[in-house]
Amino acid sequence: MATAMKKADNAAKTSKSNNKKEIKGTSQTKKTSSANNNDAKVLVKSEGSIGDGMLDHDTRQKTAKAIAPKKPKNVVRQSAAEVSAHRQDYAGLDAETLVKMYRTMYLSRRIDDKEIQLKGQNKIFFQISGAGHEAVLVAAAQAMKPAYDWFFPYYRDRALMLGLGMTAQEMLYSSVGAEVDPNSHGRQMPSHWGHKDLNVPSQSSCTGSQALHAVGAAEAGYRASLVKGLRDKIDGFKGDEVVYMSVGDGTTSEGEWWEALNSACNMKLPVIFVVEDNGYAISTPVEVNTAGGDISKLVAGFPNLLIQKCDGTNPVESYETFVRAVKFCRERKGAAFVHAKVTRPYSHSLSDDEKLYRPAEELEKDAAIDPIKTFAEFIMTEGIASSEELEKLRKEVDKEVTEAADIAINTPQPPPESAFRNVFSPDVDPTSKEFDTEDGAELSGNAGTMVDLINRCMHEEMERDERIVVFGEDVADCSREEYLETVKGKGGVFKVTANLQRKFGSARVFNSPLAEANIVGRAVGLSLRGIKPVVEIQFFDYIFPAFHQIRNEVAVTRWRSDGDTKCPMVIRVPVGGYLKGGAVYHSQSGTTLFAHTPGLMIVYPSNALDANGLLRTAIRCDDPVLFLEHKHLYRQIYNKSQYPSSEFLIPFGKAKVVREGTDVTIVTYGALVQRSFEAAKRLEKTGVSVELIDLRSLVPYDWERVAESVKKTNRVIVAHEDPISYGYGAEIAARISDELFEYLDAPVRRVGATDTFVGYAPQLEDFILPQIDDVEKAVAELMRY
């Protein structure tokens, strides 16, 4: 094909360079353009376009002339047999397939053009194109298997999705925000792909975050290959499925992309990392974004990685590249890396105007190698199809796109009340009676600490459900298995996961790199395919590298796909202060940040028995759960318990009345439960009767129990370990004031930490964190109101 393509280029007198020449890391080779875009924009402008990214009239005329496919002279049409005889030149692709690939490329471009037109008419609300990327994407689709392999594309990958089987109609449903849109049912921007039937999980706008999901999805197959019982429990296990993930050249600066590449190479996972290098990250050129201007050189040191570069404007060369990459991954030799040089003939999006930072000369040069133009010329030069046949094809595509747009524009958007749909699972309700076996539960054995009962729960749940995997930093007993018989084993810095690896093996209990986003991001990919990750973030203070994944991916995946994609998991996190010496970075609580995230459940037990029952519910839940374990409570004597049965469950949203009272209610959770209990005992001696409520779960919380108590006592204090201002307690206090005002005999009060961080010196820590005296004083003052 390389030879044939060069013949076509010569016949058409284009400026296309040798297909096999190495992609240079200079700004000159990273500039892009297309007059086809400008033709579309002229049409839009005549109809009242917003005019974003438009070039001046002379430039439009020059680029339009450069991109228009030229009919080759003296071309003799070949027979099917003659074309077949030259198949070795086309990487094994026959004439029918080549024309089909061109059709997909042209269809992709015309959908972009139609969206630009519709945006100018205010009939759609956002547009970002895949123009210039079409060739490498149809090649990828041709080399891979829809609904067999897994795909984590990015917003330029329109042609890939068309090649996999998505239709123009479906894409235009997305453009107008129709409820029947298969990407998100009207909830996500267009070109943010998701298609349940094609193994394309819902994608977000966060560039590069899906790289870790792709690794997790590949890892699901890897874990299933190690654990026979998993093979019929995870989604789409075939034994040789490959995972595709793509980014633009700008996203290769993201840390999570590098974390993903590291893990994929370390485990030899079948992930194809595709970099569609169009030379720009919005307005930032590649040499500014990437050290040396060539990402291929930067990844050269990774082991088990097949690295290839290709001309991404050449469909057949790109196909050859992908065939090698897919073969390498299917044979489980490792991961593959495809660096494809493409063009970007349109502005980054309709919110960008490329003429502000790209000169006309650069755009004209790239217009000459636009894949829509050059591939059409190749097909005609090779005699695969005539210019008349291609023109007929283009008219058919134009008609298809126009008709699909007309239908889409008249298709209903989702009803407003549907916004509440699929925030959480509609099928599994962890607040229901099904998850409540607490009352009358039989306990046995010697009393254990919170650590002991959490550990017991995980042992029992892993025995019950083979889909559960446990990983994080230092959670394994010993990663070097040959030492297991001679060492005691780590099992987590607090020993909460001790002996899980010994019992269930290294395929189900394993250490992760020291990278919190890596832990949570991989858990997303694993859970997408039906594995149930129970992961650990070693200290809450270090959860923030993963906050991006938790907030923008974990919590929102079900909602943004309207239930088509979900990622249930448990994120266990040691949290809180009162340790003496924990200081700033080992004493944080920070629950408010996470409670303000729709789609994420939060559990915060105060004693060993509750921790056991709530963790069991969290594991069996169908939503992501942040399970907070207070470090100070891990081994306290006062909160120990005998062991319940393996079916002991405490539902979320069921608070516990720790102490009955009549004069004032304290609503609290975590370490403040015991401190409030001690304060209540002191107050009882002064004649004040305190009712103490332990919320146990923060999202959801038991409003009914709180309201019932406030109606009885008419006074309430909300106590928590977080800083007092802007905190979780403010939500409870505000709702009490709003809905129970007529029952109050005094203002709602709060007790919390100072609006600072936690200091190292014990005297300083005691002042900052709320103590028994603080709770007692607040109640006494409230009673005097």
Side-chain angles (χ1 to χ4, degrees):
M1 161 59 191
T3 302
M5 196 69 168
K6 281 184 277 186
K7 286 195 300 179
D9 293 342
N10 290 334
K13 297 181 181 180
T14 69
S15 62
K16 183 171 180 175
S17 62
N18 187 318
N19 294 329
K20 297 298 185 179
K21 186 180 294 183
E22 181 177 337
I23 299 171
K24 301 296 183 182
T26 66
S27 60
Q28 186 61 42
T29 61
K30 294 172 176 62
K31 318 302 182 183
T32 58
S33 178
S34 167
N36 194 25
N37 173 46
N38 299 319
D39 289 343
K41 289 177 178 174
V42 171
L43 175 62
V44 173
K45 191 172 185 180
S46 69
E47 298 172 348
S49 165
I50 58 174
D52 283 342
M54 295 188 65
L55 304 176
D56 58 62
H57 176 75
D58 291 340
T59 302
R60 288 201 303 271
Q61 295 302 313
K62 290 178 182 177
T63 51
K65 184 177 180 181
I67 191 176
K70 298 177 177 64
K71 182 177 180 180
K73 297 179 180 180
N74 303 320
V75 173
V76 178
R77 178 70 188 275
Q78 299 182 41
S79 68
E82 289 172 319
V83 172
S84 180
H86 288 86
R87 285 182 64 183
Q88 65 272 17
D89 291 336
Y90 310 146
L93 297 168
D94 59 26
E96 181 181 356
T97 302
L98 290 167
V99 173
K100 181 181 178 182
M101 291 169 69
Y102 172 74
R103 188 188 193 282
T104 302
M105 291 168 59
Y106 183 75
L107 176 61
S108 178
R109 185 68 63 92
R110 295 309 290 157
I111 297 172
D112 276 331
D113 294 340
K114 177 57 71 173
E115 286 185 338
I116 292 169
Q117 182 187 50
L118 294 173
K119 178 66 169 66
Q121 297 169 346
N122 292 318
K123 293 179 179 177
I124 70 171
F125 323 105
F126 175 82
Q127 205 282 329
I128 191 165
S129 81
H133 293 230
E134 297 97 344
V136 69
L137 295 171
V138 297
Q142 186 65 36
M144 300 187 73
K145 299 179 182 180
Y148 185 102
D149 295 323
W150 289 78
F151 301 89
F152 294 81
Y154 89 120
Y155 46 77
R156 303 275 185 220
D157 284 14
R158 185 187 301 281
L160 172 81
M161 295 301 297
L162 290 168
L164 294 178
M166 197 173 190
T167 67
Q169 186 68 74
E170 289 175 320
M171 289 187 177
L172 287 160
Y173 282 146
S174 178
S175 307
V176 302
E179 187 173 21
V180 294
D181 154 38
N183 292 307
S184 71
H185 307 281
R187 293 183 171 184
Q188 176 65 302
M189 289 175 167
S191 299
H192 291 65
W193 310 111
H195 202 296
K196 187 176 182 179
D197 295 339
L198 298 174
N199 285 356
V200 185
S202 169
Q203 301 300 297
S204 77
S205 299
C206 309
T207 58
S209 61
Q210 83 275 24
L212 287 166
H213 308 168
V215 169
E219 188 177 354
Y222 168 69
R223 299 287 162 197
S225 71
L226 299 175
V227 182
K228 187 176 180 180
L230 275 179
R231 295 174 192 176
D232 62 350
K233 294 181 176 66
I234 70 167
D235 190 6
F237 177 76
K238 304 293 192 301
D240 68 343
E241 65 271 24
V242 174
V243 178
Y244 166 103
M245 78 79 47
S246 62
V247 294
D249 49 286
T251 297
T252 62
S253 294
E254 293 282 359
E256 292 177 18
W257 184 83
W258 287 96
E259 290 179 20
L261 195 61
N262 179 55
S263 288
C265 291
N266 205 20
M267 290 183 277
K268 298 178 68 173
L269 297 177
V271 182
I272 302 177
F273 291 85
V274 183
V275 177
E276 299 167 35
D277 184 354
N278 63 33
Y280 279 98
I282 306 184
S283 68
T284 304
V286 68
E287 73 274 12
V288 175
N289 185 75
T290 303
D294 187 344
I295 189 62
S296 297
K297 294 180 180 179
L298 299 188
V299 303
F302 280 94
N304 310 312
L305 182 66
L306 175 65
I307 300 174
Q308 299 180 92
K309 301 169 74 173
C310 69
D311 178 356
T313 67
N314 182 330
V316 183
E317 181 181 326
S318 298
Y319 174 73
E320 290 178 297
T321 301
F322 266 96
V323 166
R324 289 189 292 268
V326 171
K327 183 175 185 293
F328 186 81
C329 290
R330 288 212 197 284
E331 293 175 353
R332 296 302 187 253
K333 293 180 179 179
F337 181 85
V338 174
H339 182 184
K341 182 66 178 72
V342 297
T343 67
R344 197 193 77 189
Y346 297 11
S347 293
H348 168 75
S349 71
L350 288 189
S351 299
D352 173 49
D353 185 352
E354 66 181 4
K355 73 175 183 287
L356 298 176
Y357 52 88
R358 302 186 69 191
E361 307 82 64
E362 177 182 296
L363 297 169
E364 290 175 19
K365 287 181 179 180
D366 280 345
I369 59 169
D370 188 290
I372 304 298
K373 167 186 182 292
T374 57
F375 194 42
E377 290 167 352
F378 160 74
I379 287 174
M380 291 185 292
T381 300
E382 289 294 291
I384 294 168
S386 67
S387 60
E388 292 79 12
E389 288 169 325
L390 291 188
E391 181 61 23
K392 179 182 177 183
L393 177 152
R394 287 190 285 266
K395 288 181 178 178
E396 291 173 352
V397 168
D398 291 346
K399 181 181 178 184
E400 176 186 345
V401 172
T402 298
E403 291 177 349
D406 290 343
I407 293 170
I409 289 168
N410 293 295
T411 302
Q413 296 177 13
E417 62 274 13
S418 70
F420 295 108
R421 189 171 62 206
N422 282 308
V423 177
F424 294 108
S425 172
D427 304 315
V428 180
D429 180 6
T431 70
S432 66
K433 292 182 179 180
E434 178 185 352
F435 287 89
D436 192 350
T437 62
E438 181 179 20
D439 295 340
E442 294 185 3
L443 307 178
S444 62
N446 296 326
T449 64
M450 183 183 284
V451 168
D452 296 329
L453 268 72
I454 291 174
N455 182 269
R456 172 72 70 90
C457 177
M458 285 196 285
H459 269 88
E460 291 170 343
E461 288 300 293
M462 291 190 75
E463 186 74 44
R464 184 187 70 88
D465 187 351
E466 205 164 11
R467 298 177 307 123
I468 297 172
V469 297
V470 173
F471 64 99
E473 298 164 19
D474 300 300
V475 302
D477 293 305
C478 184
S479 289
R480 292 175 174 167
E481 293 184 66
E482 64 270 25
Y483 299 159
L484 272 174
E485 299 304 317
T486 59
V487 299
K488 185 176 181 180
K490 182 73 174 176
V493 295
F494 298 102
K495 308 298 292 182
V496 181
T497 56
N499 295 315
L500 289 176
Q501 180 194 6
R502 293 182 193 275
K503 176 70 179 292
F504 299 103
S506 300
R508 294 182 63 198
V509 183
F510 46 92
N511 285 331
S512 72
L514 200 158
E516 288 76 15
N518 179 286
I519 296 167
V520 176
R522 282 166 58 196
V524 171
L526 286 160
S527 64
L528 289 175
R529 295 189 63 185
I531 282 181
K532 188 60 177 283
V534 179
V535 302
E536 179 182 298
I537 301 297
Q538 197 165 86
F539 289 92
F540 180 90
D541 315 74
Y542 306 129
I543 199 172
F544 298 103
F547 186 72
H548 174 51
Q549 285 285 341
I550 296 170
R551 170 79 188 189
N552 286 325
E553 302 293 350
V554 173
V556 76
T557 289
R558 184 190 293 276
W559 189 88
R560 75 167 182 246
S561 68
D562 201 7
D564 286 347
T565 303
K566 62 179 182 178
C567 54
M569 67 181 71
V570 179
I571 306 171
R572 294 182 40 256
V573 193
V575 67
Y578 301 110
L579 290 179
K580 303 301 181 190
V584 180
Y585 296 106
H586 292 82
S587 305
Q588 296 183 61
S589 293
T591 51
T592 300
L593 293 172
F594 293 88
H596 200 65
T597 301
L600 181 68
M601 294 190 172
I602 304 177
V603 179
Y604 204 149
S606 66
N607 59 77
L609 185 62
D610 286 356
N612 180 281
L614 289 167
L615 179 59
R616 188 169 285 106
T617 297
I619 292 172
R620 299 187 189 186
C621 183
D622 198 37
D623 287 299
V625 180
L626 185 66
F627 195 85
L628 301 176
E629 304 166 5
H630 202 293
K631 301 186 294 291
H632 176 72
L633 303 179
Y634 266 153
R635 291 181 170 83
Q636 294 294 335
I637 301 299
Y638 59 76
N639 70 10
K640 293 174 72 173
S641 171
Q642 291 181 289
Y643 293 87
S645 76
S646 61
E647 290 301 316
F648 178 70
L649 295 156
I650 297 175
F652 297 167
K654 180 186 177 184
K656 183 178 183 179
V657 178
V658 178
R659 193 177 194 279
E660 298 274 359
T662 57
D663 294 329
V664 62
T665 298
I666 299 178
V667 179
T668 189
Y669 54 89
L672 262 295
V673 173
Q674 181 64 20
R675 280 164 170 70
S676 298
F677 183 77
E678 295 297 331
K681 289 197 296 184
R682 293 183 187 177
L683 289 161
E684 187 175 35
K685 296 177 181 178
T686 67
V688 177
S689 175
V690 175
E691 179 149 299
L692 177 59
I693 295 177
D694 178 2
L695 288 177
R696 302 200 289 192
S697 68
L698 306 187
V699 180
Y701 66 91
D702 190 347
W703 169 248
E704 289 73 20
R705 184 62 60 91
V706 171
E708 180 184 348
S709 181
V710 172
K711 290 175 182 179
K712 178 172 65 172
T713 65
N714 310 121
R715 288 177 171 83
V716 60
I717 288 175
V718 185
H720 56 65
E721 190 175 333
D722 267 348
I724 193 167
S725 297
Y726 322 111
Y728 182 82
E731 154 64 18
I732 308 295
R735 190 170 181 187
I736 292 170
S737 297
D738 181 37
E739 298 184 30
L740 302 174
F741 182 77
E742 65 270 28
Y743 295 98
L744 294 175
D745 290 340
V748 181
R749 291 287 303 274
R750 289 171 293 152
V751 174
T754 57
D755 290 339
T756 68
F757 297 99
V758 180
Y760 170 73
Q763 179 174 299
L764 190 59
E765 180 185 285
D766 287 347
F767 174 79
I768 292 166
L769 296 179
Q771 305 297 333
I772 298 171
D773 290 346
D774 298 314
V775 177
E776 182 182 7
K777 179 181 178 183
V779 172
E781 290 177 352
L782 196 63
M783 292 303 298
R784 290 195 294 268
Y785 183 82

